Amino acid sequence: MADKVRFIIERQDGPNEKPYIQEFDVDYRPGLNVVAALMEIQKNPVTVDGKRVPPVTWECNCLEKVCGACMMVINGKARQACCALVDEIEQPIKLQPARTFPVIRDLLIDRSVMFESLKKIQGWVELDGSWEVKDAPIQNPYTAQTAYEISHCMTCGCCLEACPNVGPQSDFIGPAPTVQAYLFNLHPLGKFDAPKRLNALMEKGGITSCGNSQNCVEVCPKSIKLTTYLAQLNRDVNKQALKNIFNF
C-alpha cells in the first residue's frame, strides 16, 4: 500500500453551480475509511497541486452504518462512506454526490424527497393513546422477522440512486419508501390502514413505476430483500384494486 491515498472529488459550490473536479492526497493508515479521509482533507484542504481551497462539504452522523447520512457515490457505486474502507477500494478513489437528489454543496445532498414519499404512503402507525402497554397487540411471530429486516432501512437513498426508474425520467418514489408501506401493513395496528397505503401505491409514482431492475438489492447497505417485498406489495396492491372494483 502506498504512503498516500489519492481522492478525486467532484465538487459543486452551490445548488445551481457547475460541478468541477479537485484531487487530494491523504496519508495512508490501516483501517482508514472514506469519512476519516474526508476529515483529514477538511483539516488541511490543499489539492495535489498545492492550492489551498475551501474544505469539502459532506454529511455524516453515526459513523457506524446506522443513520445513512454519509451516502455518496464511491467509484461509481452508491454506498455509505463510513464503512467504505480504503484497503477494499480500487484507487484512486473517486467521490461524487448522489445526483438523484438535489446537490446542496459538494457531496452534501438534500434527501427530503424520501421523507415526503413516506408521507404519501402513510409511513406511520396511528395511535390514540388508549392502549395500555400490557394490553398492546403482539407482533405476529411469523411476520416479525420480516418486519425486523425492513425496519433496518436507514432512508440513506442508496437504492434510489441505483434505481433507473428514479429521477427526471420517471415519477417513481423509489424502493425504500415503497417497501416501508409493506412494513407498516405488517404491524398489528398499522394493518388497519393498509388499504390507504395500498391505494396510495396505485397512484402516480407508485409501485407500477417500478421496473424491477433489481439494482436496489445490489446496493442496499442493510441487505434488505427489497425486490422480494416489492413483489409481495405488487400482489397486495392488485388484491386491493379488485376489492375496490367489487366493493368488498
Side-chain angles (χ1 to χ4, degrees):
M1 177 63 69
D3 294 334
K4 299 284 186 180
V5 181
R6 176 67 55 89
F7 284 86
I8 303 172
I9 303 179
E10 185 177 295
R11 306 194 62 180
Q12 187 170 324
D13 294 336
N16 300 315
E17 302 297 325
K18 291 184 178 180
Y20 58 94
I21 299 295
Q22 288 182 340
E23 299 186 20
F24 302 85
D25 282 338
V26 175
D27 291 335
Y28 170 78
R29 66 174 185 267
L32 181 69
N33 63 21
V34 170
V35 165
L38 284 169
M39 289 178 176
E40 292 300 318
I41 295 171
Q42 186 181 54
K43 288 192 294 185
N44 186 32
V46 178
T47 63
V48 293
D49 55 3
K51 181 181 179 182
R52 180 166 287 277
V53 296
V56 178
T57 302
W58 81 100
E59 186 177 17
C60 66
N61 190 13
C62 71
L63 304 180
E64 54 184 7
K65 203 168 73 168
V66 173
C67 72
C70 65
M71 191 273 288
M72 61 186 67
V73 178
I74 302 174
N75 283 359
K77 181 179 179 180
R79 58 185 301 185
Q80 303 298 302
C82 63
C83 59
L85 299 177
V86 166
D87 289 334
E88 300 173 356
I89 305 173
E90 183 179 349
Q91 298 180 27
I93 299 171
K94 186 172 184 179
L95 306 181
Q96 300 168 281
R99 293 195 174 274
T100 293
F101 304 91
V103 175
I104 299 173
R105 182 183 179 92
D106 296 338
L107 304 173
L108 178 64
I109 58 172
D110 180 3
R111 293 181 296 146
S112 60
V113 63
M114 294 189 70
F115 303 102
E116 292 302 315
S117 295
L118 289 173
K119 294 179 184 178
K120 292 180 182 178
I121 59 96
Q122 194 170 324
W124 61 82
V125 174
E126 295 283 359
L127 293 175
D128 60 8
S130 62
W131 286 96
E132 296 290 343
V133 174
K134 64 182 178 64
D135 296 323
I138 299 174
Q139 176 76 53
N140 182 339
Y142 297 103
T143 59
Q145 185 173 355
T146 296
Y148 183 68
E149 179 190 342
I150 302 174
S151 69
H152 281 91
C153 178
M154 304 179 290
T155 322
C156 65
C158 282
C159 60
L160 273 74
E161 176 67 15
C163 179
N165 293 99
V166 175
Q169 74 282 6
S170 171
D171 50 22
F172 185 35
I173 63 173
T178 303
V179 170
Q180 287 297 302
Y182 189 67
L183 169 65
F184 287 101
N185 288 352
L186 291 175
H187 192 279
L189 294 181
K191 66 182 180 181
F192 295 112
D193 288 319
K196 294 180 182 178
R197 299 188 187 94
L198 296 174
N199 284 323
L201 290 176
M202 296 180 203
E203 296 175 0
K204 185 177 180 180
I207 198 164
T208 56
S209 297
C210 173
N212 196 32
S213 69
Q214 304 196 28
N215 290 13
C216 52
V217 172
E218 296 296 325
V219 300
C220 178
K222 293 297 186 178
S223 301
I224 300 171
K225 297 187 289 292
L226 292 165
T227 49
T228 297
Y229 303 129
L230 285 167
Q232 293 175 347
L233 259 178
N234 193 44
R235 175 204 63 193
D236 294 343
V237 166
N238 286 325
K239 289 170 64 176
Q240 183 61 45
L242 290 172
K243 289 181 180 180
N244 294 346
I245 293 172
F246 296 105
N247 196 27
F248 68 90

